[in-house]
Every structure is written in C-alpha cells, then in structure tokens.
Amino acid sequence: MRRCLELARLGAGHVAPNPMVGAVLVYEDRIIGEGYHQLYGKAHAEVNCINSVKEEDQALIGRSTIYVSLEPCAHYGKTPPCADLIIARGIPRVVVGCRDPFPEVDGKGIEKLRAAGVEVTVGVLEAECKELNKRFFTFHTQHRPYIVLKWAQSMNGRIAGVGEGRVLISNEYTNRLVHRWRSEEAAILVGTRTALADDPALTARLWNGPDPVRLVIDKELRLPGSLQLFDRKVRTIVFNLVRHGEDGPMLSYYQLAGDSSLVHQLSVALYQLKIQSVLVEGGARLLQSFIDEGYWDEARVITNTKLELPGGLSAPALDTIQPISREDLFADTIVYYKNI
C-alpha cells in the first residue's frame, strides 16, 4: 500500500478534480504490475496497473491480489468502472486503502466486488490514504474547497514595505517551490490591493505543472484591464458585487452578495464552481479574514531571516496555532501550519 501511495503522488497537479490513486498487483509477494491515475479523463490506476503486466505474467492475474489506495469506482464517468475490470479479469482479492466519499462510488465499488465473490479488505493505511487526497475528501465531505494560505514576510513580520513599490521577499529557490504549490492546487486567490499593487501573473511558470485557475476579488470592478490577470492566457474568475457571466472562455464574473461574510460566500461559490482547492496568496486583510473565520486547512509562512522592513504592512497573525513542521531554503525559513 505504501507503494500505491508513492505511485499516486506522481499524479499530483494532473488528475484533479479526480483523486490521486495508485495500484499494485501482487502474485506471491512479487509485484507483477503497477500503475497510477496519470491524467484527468484518462485511464484510472487499476487500468494502468493491469495493462502494465508483462506477457509472461498474464496468466497470473487471476491468482493475484490488487492493492489500491482508494476504492475502485463502480460508475461510468469518463472511463468505465474499475470494479467491473477487476471482476472481468478474475482477480480474487482486493486490498483497499480507504473508501471513496464521492456519492457515485461511496461503498458501491466495494459492494459490487464482494457481490461478485471477490475478497475485499478495506482500511489499510487508511489515514495516509485520506491525507493524500485531503482536497478531494474535504470537497466531498465538507462541501467546500481545501484552503491553503500562503504569504512571505520579513524577519520583523512585514509583508510589504513603505510606499507603492513591490518588495521581493523570498529567494529564487523558494519562489520555485511556491510555483510548485500553485501547480498542485485547483485555483489561486488574491484580493484587489494585491492585484493592483503587484500585478501578479499567478501562474506556475517556474515549475513544470499546470497553471491554477486565477481568482481575484474586485468588488466594484475597478481593476484595469491591462493587468496580467486579464491577459486571458489562463482561466480567470472575478468575484464582485456588480456583474455575473462570461466575457469569453477564459474570463468570467461571479457576483456575490454584499450583506454577508465574503469568505463564506467565496467558499460556497468555489464549491458550486467545482473548484476543489485554493491557494490564497494575499493580501494581508484577505488572509486574515480566512484565519479569523476559521476557513483554512493549511498555512505556509515564508520568512526571510535576513530581511528587515521598517514600517510597512504587517503580516497576518496565526496567534495560538502551533506549527507542524519547518524547512530552510538558504535565508528563507518556511513554517507549515495545520488548522486542527
């Protein structure tokens, strides 16, 4: 099952909104096939696993055990049900990491396998399997996206200096890591002031991965069309109080109400838009709103330990939240938090 998890992680950033899944086929303690879900809309892990079996081992498939990190699907989506494939190939035993919370599956795959006489074991490394697909599980069980907060600050807790100029706080190595983070989330969100002051592209250009959907809050639609956010190179959604609808395939507007929590409305809207995860990159007020209302799952705080910014804008405050880990990239220290 640990090998299943290793394989599944190879699909990070490429399979959403599907979960990451790995599968391993074993005959008498020998792996004869393995695979993972590589790309959304393409073959699932079980299919790739069975297809990887060499010609000389084909006769062993019907006497093997298949290990899968997530319950095999039982419905027709973009691909046929994997439970049907396992039954058709005569695989007698299936070991499942955890049950799939997606309503179209949610136990139906396990039920179908057992009804066909397949021996099914469920719950092997269950916590690890759920953690791997925390975005998928959060979306389908809590009906909201998985929310990651991120910001960079100086050694004295400032995320911006005095004046209008943009200050580059993190180093080039940390910036590449941030772009990897971007490629792993479905969307990235900034507020009006950050969009205007920094003119960010919000892409994963420094990493070999997909660009997230760009989300920007512009309540009165005052941001100029010359910003990089509006270059129509990446799908962009503008949350506002004025307009709703599309302006072509790459730019759309989502109208919010003005009389309730912005953070809660964003969470509801993103669920309706089927966006499973979002990386919130700023600014300070927007980040603090997510923290104050408890709408966050992880926070990643980058501190340049050699940079001091007199005055300037204070970073958000996590107060009593204890970090779960940290790492150093030259002068940058990255501290990770989890909203327990």
Side-chain angles (χ1 to χ4, degrees), residues 100-122:
D100 189 335
F102 183 54
E104 294 293 327
V105 185
D106 198 13
K108 298 181 181 68
I110 295 168
E111 192 176 294
K112 178 179 278 193
L113 291 168
R114 285 176 173 162
V118 178
E119 178 188 330
V120 183
T121 301
V122 183

Side-chain angles (χ1 to χ4, degrees), residues 67-273:
Y67 294 77
V68 190
S69 56
L70 189 69
E71 175 184 4
C73 61
H75 68 296
Y76 282 87
K78 290 188 176 294
T79 60
C82 291
D84 288 359
L85 174 65
I86 291 170
I87 294 168
R89 295 306 300 262
I91 298 173
R93 290 173 298 279
V94 179
V95 179
V96 177
C98 63
R99 185 164 162 162
D100 189 335
F102 183 54
E104 294 293 327
V105 185
D106 198 13
K108 298 181 181 68
I110 295 168
E111 192 176 294
K112 178 179 278 193
L113 291 168
R114 285 176 173 162
V118 178
E119 178 188 330
V120 183
T121 301
V122 183
V124 175
L125 294 184
E126 183 174 22
E128 290 90 334
C129 290
K130 287 183 175 180
E131 174 66 19
L132 174 70
N133 283 306
K134 54 197 174 186
R135 298 160 180 83
F136 182 78
F137 273 80
T138 298
F139 186 82
H140 289 291
T141 61
Q142 299 187 38
H143 302 134
R144 66 166 179 82
Y146 190 86
I147 299 169
V148 180
L149 310 180
K150 168 263 168 184
W151 68 86
Q153 62 185 24
S154 64
M155 60 183 292
N156 61 326
R158 301 289 188 267
I159 65 171
V162 178
E164 299 295 327
R166 182 181 183 183
V167 178
L168 297 177
I169 295 177
S170 52
N171 64 49
E172 60 180 305
Y173 302 100
T174 306
N175 289 341
R176 290 188 183 186
L177 176 61
V178 169
H179 282 233
R180 191 191 85 186
W181 293 345
R182 290 178 176 181
S183 74
E184 292 172 347
E185 307 305 334
I188 183 169
L189 172 68
V190 295
T192 308
R193 292 184 181 181
T194 299
L196 192 59
D198 296 347
D199 189 17
L202 300 184
T203 63
R205 61 194 176 277
L206 299 182
W207 190 260
N208 184 24
D211 293 320
V213 176
R214 301 184 295 199
L215 312 173
V216 60
I217 300 169
D218 183 13
K219 292 182 180 179
E220 304 300 330
L221 298 181
R222 293 176 178 171
L223 289 175
S226 58
L227 293 179
Q228 293 187 84
L229 283 170
F230 303 127
D231 60 15
R232 299 176 188 263
K233 293 180 180 179
V234 179
R235 183 187 172 200
T236 303
I237 303 172
V238 183
F239 292 99
N240 66 95
L241 305 177
V242 180
R243 178 183 175 187
H244 194 89
E246 293 186 352
D247 188 3
M250 302 300 282
L251 180 62
S252 60
Y253 297 85
Y254 194 105
Q255 189 172 0
L256 303 172
D259 56 355
S260 61
S261 163
L262 174 64
V263 170
H264 174 70
Q265 287 189 74
L266 285 170
S267 179
V268 171
L270 293 173
Y271 179 74
Q272 292 174 345
L273 291 165

